[in-house]
């Protein structure tokens, strides 16, 4: 299937607009829909509750919204998937996957590092699940008859570890593999092509791209999509139509944004890697960080997020967060502006300290989500913040 090129980005999911006689995406805010006959309403309700992608009448907005469905068609095309199902957040999408796979069992196999709240959701067993945290090469040993799915995140949040999707799929056998591809987006990685059963996105990030929408989406086969829709109808985690509108409006510029931010991220990573104030940079685009060529095989590029350990640990790292002026000191990622945050203190705070340490989330680690600004402006901001942190450190010593 076609890759997410600029043409697909601009036109996907908009196939019916000409017929509707409109140019911009229509926004349908109805919560309920008049039925033309009771029979029509009943049949449509039955269809949507059973997980069909559409029905003659939407009946009620928790069951269906045409704008959400349009965005789902677009994202499915971008991922090379049969279907996609959109949710009110990335975590709602993952929750729906846990519930939709429950028939297989309640055991999940997962790999760290992974987004902090994902780690917390699985570890806490809030959804009645059990989890085995394993290394990527021991997945096969962890599979049990009641394993519902294998979950990996690649690149991983926050240390950008890459996992070989095809290898994980081979190890999992008939157990479905879910790939959180939030950091890559379909511009850089299409996990379905490597055998993944479902591809998850926190659409809050690059897919939204402007820091103004919370959303999640799961791209998968029509069979899995029907199960996910059943869960969504019953649990009510549908994406809001306005959020779907914003996501769909952001799709034509996704590739441009990724390409631009990735070029800037690459330059910042190179400069940081040579900087004595930095202990280590995590970015799969650096020459020494793709030893076995996985990034080249599996991705179209290393992406727009990088992390680095500030020499001296927590105190200088916290100082950098306080001293940046152009960058936004905030969690989240994938916005047009550059965001910098401290994973151990914020996004991964909910993960046990020892588990954090074991997967490289140390006290001096900062994560940078690079935006669209000029590289020299970003560098001088980072440079002055590092200088301030370093000066304070020298004074203290
Ligand atoms: C990789 C990844 N997956 C999932 C999520 C959760 O998504 P949301 O915040 O949209 O629920 C996040 C949020 O930061 C994330 O970074």
């Amino acid at each position: 299937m076609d890759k997410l090129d600029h043409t697909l980005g601009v036109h996907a999911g908009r196939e019916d607009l000409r017929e509707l006689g409109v140019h911009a995406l229509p926004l349908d805010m109805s919560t309920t829909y008049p039925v033309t006959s009771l029979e029509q309403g009943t049949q449509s309700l039955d269809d949507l509750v059973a997980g069909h992608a559409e029905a003659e009448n939407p009946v009620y907005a928790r069951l269906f919204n045409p704008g959400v469905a349009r965005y789902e068609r677009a994202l499915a095309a971008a991922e090379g998937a049969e279907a996609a199902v959109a949710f009110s957040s990335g975590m709602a999408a993952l929750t729906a996957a846990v519930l939709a796979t429950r028939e297989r069992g309640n055991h999940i196999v997962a790999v760290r590092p992974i987004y902090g709240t994902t780690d917390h959701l699985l570890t806490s067993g809030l959804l009645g699940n059990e989890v085995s945290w394993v290394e990527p090469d021991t997945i096969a040993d962890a599979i049990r008859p009641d394993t519902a799915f294998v979950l990996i995140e690649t690149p991983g949040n926050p240390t950008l570890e890459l996992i070989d999707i095809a290898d994980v799929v081979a190890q999992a056998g008939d157990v479905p593999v879910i790939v959180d591809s939030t950091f890559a987006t379909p511009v850089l990685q299409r996990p379905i092509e490597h055998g993944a059963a479902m591809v998850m996105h926190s659409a809050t990030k690059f897919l939204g791209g402007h820091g103004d929408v919370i959303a999640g989406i799961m791209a998968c086969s029509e069979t899995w999509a029907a199960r996910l829709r059943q869960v969504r109808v019953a649990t009510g985690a549908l994406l809001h139509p306005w959020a779907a509108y914003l996501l769909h409006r952001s799709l034509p510029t996704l590739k441009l944004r990724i390409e631009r931010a990735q070029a800037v991220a690459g330059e910042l990573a190179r400069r940081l890697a040579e900087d004595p104030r930095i202990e280590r940079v995590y970015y799969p685009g650096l020459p020494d960080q793709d030893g076995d060529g996985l990034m080249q095989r599996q991705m179209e590029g290393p992406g727009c997020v990088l992390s680095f350990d500030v020499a001296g640990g927590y105190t200088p790292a916290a100082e950098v967060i306080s001293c940046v002026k152009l960058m936004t000191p905030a969690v989240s990622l994938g916005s047009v502006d550059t965001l910098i945050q401290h994973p151990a203190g914020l996004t991964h705070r909910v993960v046990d300290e020892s588990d954090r340490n074991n997967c490289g989330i140390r006290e001096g680690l900062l994560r940078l989500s690079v935006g669209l600004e000029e590289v020299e402006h970003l560098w001088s901001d980072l440079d002055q913040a590092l200088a301030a942190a370093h000066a304070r450190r020298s004074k203290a010593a």
Side-chain angles (χ1 to χ4, degrees):
M1 257 190 239
D2 292 347
K3 287 210 180 318
L4 175 52
D5 57 19
H6 292 295
T7 308
L8 191 140
V10 169
H11 293 285
R14 295 169 192 253
E15 297 78 9
D16 63 337
L17 298 199
R18 193 177 297 192
E19 200 183 314
L20 290 171
V22 296
H23 180 236
L25 293 160
L27 179 60
D28 177 349
M29 298 288 281
S30 305
T31 55
T32 191
Y33 293 85
V35 291
T36 53
S37 70
L38 182 56
E39 288 73 23
Q40 183 218 39
T42 305
Q43 184 58 53
S44 298
L45 183 90
D46 285 351
D47 289 347
L48 293 171
V49 169
H52 291 198
E54 57 188 2
E56 209 183 321
N57 189 305
V59 186
Y60 184 57
R62 178 159 42 74
L63 312 185
F64 182 86
N65 175 271
V68 172
R70 248 183 228 108
Y71 180 65
E72 290 172 337
R73 284 198 298 275
L75 212 278
E79 283 291 358
E82 281 176 11
V85 186
F87 295 88
S88 52
S89 70
M91 294 317 298
L94 181 60
T95 299
V98 172
L99 300 175
T101 54
R102 182 48 53 83
E103 252 179 21
R104 297 188 54 91
N106 68 357
H107 174 243
I108 296 162
V109 175
V111 177
R112 285 187 170 120
I114 204 160
Y115 170 57
T117 303
T118 301
D119 192 315
H120 170 66
L121 182 74
L122 302 188
T123 305
S124 64
L126 265 175
L127 296 172
N129 63 279
E130 254 187 87
V131 62
S132 299
W133 293 107
V134 298
E135 294 299 319
D137 56 354
T138 61
I139 285 173
D141 303 336
I143 303 277
R144 306 192 319 214
D146 64 338
T147 302
F149 61 86
V150 175
L151 177 66
I152 57 169
E153 192 176 276
T154 181
N157 186 352
T159 49
L160 288 300
E161 239 90 4
L162 301 187
I163 301 177
D164 187 332
I165 300 169
D167 177 63
V168 172
V169 168
Q171 290 190 62
D174 65 355
V175 175
V177 173
I178 303 181
V179 177
D180 185 331
S181 195
T182 298
F183 275 36
T185 82
V187 174
L188 301 178
Q189 176 172 280
R190 302 213 306 171
I192 302 266
E193 287 173 357
H194 304 282
M198 298 185 224
V199 183
M200 170 187 159
H201 290 280
S202 167
T204 313
K205 310 299 176 339
F206 294 102
L207 298 185
H210 298 76
D212 55 6
V213 55
I214 293 272
I217 196 154
M218 200 65 94
C220 53
S221 65
E222 179 48 37
T223 309
W224 279 121
R227 300 297 300 274
L228 290 167
R229 288 187 208 107
Q230 284 179 313
V231 171
R232 186 179 64 180
V233 163
T235 58
L238 184 84
L239 183 66
H240 192 274
W242 175 235
Y245 175 91
L246 290 173
L247 289 174
H248 209 157
R249 201 174 73 148
S250 294
L251 191 59
T253 58
L254 177 64
K255 192 167 192 294
L256 285 172
R257 285 185 279 111
I258 295 287
E259 286 170 354
R260 160 71 190 167
Q262 180 173 259
V264 178
E267 183 54 28
L268 292 178
R270 272 186 290 281
R271 292 187 192 187
L272 286 166
E274 285 167 10
D275 196 305
R277 298 166 297 185
I278 305 301
E279 254 169 28
R280 183 175 167 181
V281 179
Y282 304 81
Y283 185 61
L286 287 173
D288 57 337
Q289 290 191 25
D290 188 30
D292 58 2
L294 180 58
M295 197 273 284
Q296 299 285 348
R297 288 202 302 283
Q298 188 168 278
M299 300 179 74
E300 302 277 324
C304 320
V305 184
L306 59 104
S307 293
F308 52 94
D309 285 314
V310 180
Y314 180 84
T315 307
E319 190 72 7
V320 170
I321 295 281
S322 307
C323 290
V324 287
K325 295 189 171 80
L326 180 65
M327 296 179 179
T328 309
V331 297
S332 201
L333 56 110
S335 187
V336 285
D337 59 323
T338 296
L339 306 174
I340 187 165
Q341 70 103 10
H342 183 261
L346 296 167
T347 51
H348 292 69
R349 172 114 185 118
V350 283
V351 180
D352 262 8
E353 196 179 342
S354 62
D355 294 331
R356 279 202 309 259
N357 283 329
N358 288 341
C359 63
I361 307 173
R362 286 188 280 271
E363 293 296 319
L365 186 76
L366 295 178
R367 190 191 73 191
L368 201 62
S369 164
V370 179
L372 308 181
E373 301 97 326
E374 300 299 332
V375 67
E376 294 308 334
H377 296 161
L378 290 173
W379 179 251
S380 70
D381 191 28
L382 203 48
D383 185 47
Q384 64 79 26
L386 283 165
H390 197 64
R392 165 100 43 122
R393 191 175 164 225
S394 308
K395 215 166 157 190

